[in-house]
Each structure stands twice: as C-alpha cells, then as structure tokens.
Amino acid sequence: MASTPSKKPKYDTKRAWAEARALLWEHRKSVGIGMALMLVSRAASFVLPLTPKYLFDEVMAKQRYELLWPIALVGFGATLINAITSFALSQIVSVAAQQAIAKLREDVQAHLIRLPVRFFDSTKSGVLVSRVMNDPEGIRNLVGTGLIQLVGGFVSALGALVVLLYLNWRLTSATVLFLAIFGVGMSIAFKRLRPIFRERSIITAE
C-alpha cells in the first residue's frame, strides 16, 4: 500500500519576523549607513534627467551660454556622487552581509554537530551541506543590498510618480494602469515559478 505524502510543515511567521528584526538590529549600523548612502545616490540620480530641461529651455532657447558650464559641472558632480555612493554602498553592505552569512553558517554547523548520531543516519549528507552552505545565503536580501535596493526603488518610484503626476496626470495614470497589469502578470508567474525553485533546491541536496 502506497504511503500518503507527508504534509509540509507550516512556516512560523511570527518567529521569522522576530528573527528578521533581531538580525536587522544586530546590523543596524551598516544598514543605516547603507540607507543614508542610498538616499544620497537616489537624490543624485534625479539631477541628470533635469539637466536637459535647462539645457534646452535656458541655454538654447534663450541663448544663455554662460549657463552651459554650470550645467555640465552639476551633471558631472551628480554622476560622480552617484558612482561614489554606489561603490561605498556595495562595499559596506556587502561586507556586513558576508559577515552575517558566515556567522549563520557557523551557528547552523554548531547546531548540527550537537545532534544525535541517528539524525545523520536518516539524513542525506547533501541535505546537510545545502542547509549549511546555501540556506544562509537568503539573509543577503535582508542585511545586504536587497532590502536597501527595495527601499531605494520605492523612493525613486514615489518621487518620479509625484513629478509625473504634476506634469501630466492623465498620461501618468495610463502608465500606472499598464504597470499594474504587468505587476499582476509577474505575480502570477512567480507563484508558478516558486515551486520550481524549491524543487531545484531539493535536487541540489540530493
């Protein structure tokens, strides 16, 4: 008689949120510096799209050629600031993420070696290696660049939305509607792809 498939364990959402908050608090310094650098980088990224407006409206239309050098210097300065902050962000946050991943791997390994021998008899070595090496990589999105890029993208999108609504709210509303439809389609696609990624992890462990 075929055995019934075992039910998947339910995720403890409260515990996951508590561990996430504790991890963010532990690395609050690097995350805070990363957030500040991200805001500076996003603010600098808005400068270049604004320079053509003054170039065409002031320099070319009104023939105010004395503004050409200041506009060029502002654009160069914004590009330089964006490059420096992006490099500093990747260095500071990436180092903190690697330290967190290494510490979590040590904790998982320390927990495994305290387990009884019968656990290792009933568990494949590939599963244990996958738990120690691959699973801690997930926190890179929390204390690494993932969370900061998410917040930065939200800030940029919100700022751009306010400006576009001010310029032309009808065209902006049509664009937002199109993006919403695209987002729903992506959500459906990820719901179908997520089990495939889980299956890939199982195959890797085997």
Side-chain angles (χ1 to χ4, degrees):
M1 184 176 179
S3 59
T4 57
S6 58
K7 294 182 178 179
K8 294 181 180 180
K10 294 183 178 180
Y11 294 104
D12 192 348
T13 307
K14 292 183 178 180
R15 181 179 177 183
W17 276 110
E19 292 179 354
R21 288 194 299 269
L23 192 62
L24 286 174
W25 180 254
E26 182 180 355
H27 299 275
R28 61 188 181 276
K29 183 178 180 180
S30 60
V31 174
I33 295 174
M35 289 291 182
L37 290 173
M38 178 271 300
L39 292 176
V40 175
S41 176
R42 298 295 176 172
S45 65
F46 279 104
V47 174
L48 284 180
L50 291 175
T51 52
K53 177 181 183 302
Y54 293 96
L55 180 63
F56 289 108
D57 295 346
E58 300 295 332
V59 177
M60 294 186 176
K62 299 180 182 180
Q63 297 183 354
R64 298 180 61 185
Y65 298 109
E66 70 276 5
L67 296 178
L68 189 60
W69 275 107
I71 292 174
L73 290 176
V74 169
F76 176 77
T79 304
L80 185 62
I81 291 174
N82 196 7
I84 293 174
T85 53
S86 297
F87 178 76
L89 178 63
S90 64
Q91 292 297 311
I92 295 173
V93 179
S94 297
V95 170
Q98 289 295 337
Q99 291 175 351
I101 290 172
K103 184 177 182 300
L104 185 57
R105 283 174 177 165
E106 292 176 357
D107 295 341
V108 174
Q109 178 67 20
H111 174 74
L112 286 175
I113 61 177
R114 290 194 298 266
L115 295 176
V117 177
R118 63 177 180 274
F119 172 79
F120 296 94
D121 293 336
S122 60
T123 307
K124 297 179 180 180
S125 59
V127 174
L128 299 178
V129 172
S130 179
R131 291 290 177 268
V132 175
M133 297 303 297
N134 296 335
D135 289 358
E137 290 285 340
I139 66 173
R140 188 189 304 275
N141 294 325
L142 188 62
V143 298
T145 56
L147 178 63
I148 295 175
Q149 288 178 351
L150 177 64
V151 176
F154 179 78
V155 170
S156 298
L158 185 61
L161 181 63
V162 171
V163 174
L164 291 175
L165 286 174
Y166 173 76
L167 295 176
N168 192 333
W169 68 270
R170 293 183 179 86
L171 184 59
T172 304
S173 301
T175 305
V176 170
L177 179 61
F178 175 77
L179 291 176
I181 296 173
F182 178 76
V184 171
M186 290 294 294
S187 177
I188 296 173
F190 276 114
K191 283 183 180 179
R192 295 186 177 181
L193 289 174
R194 197 172 291 115
I196 297 177
F197 285 112
R198 285 198 294 264
E199 186 178 356
R200 185 187 65 174
S201 300
I202 295 173
I203 294 174
T204 302
E206 291 178 353

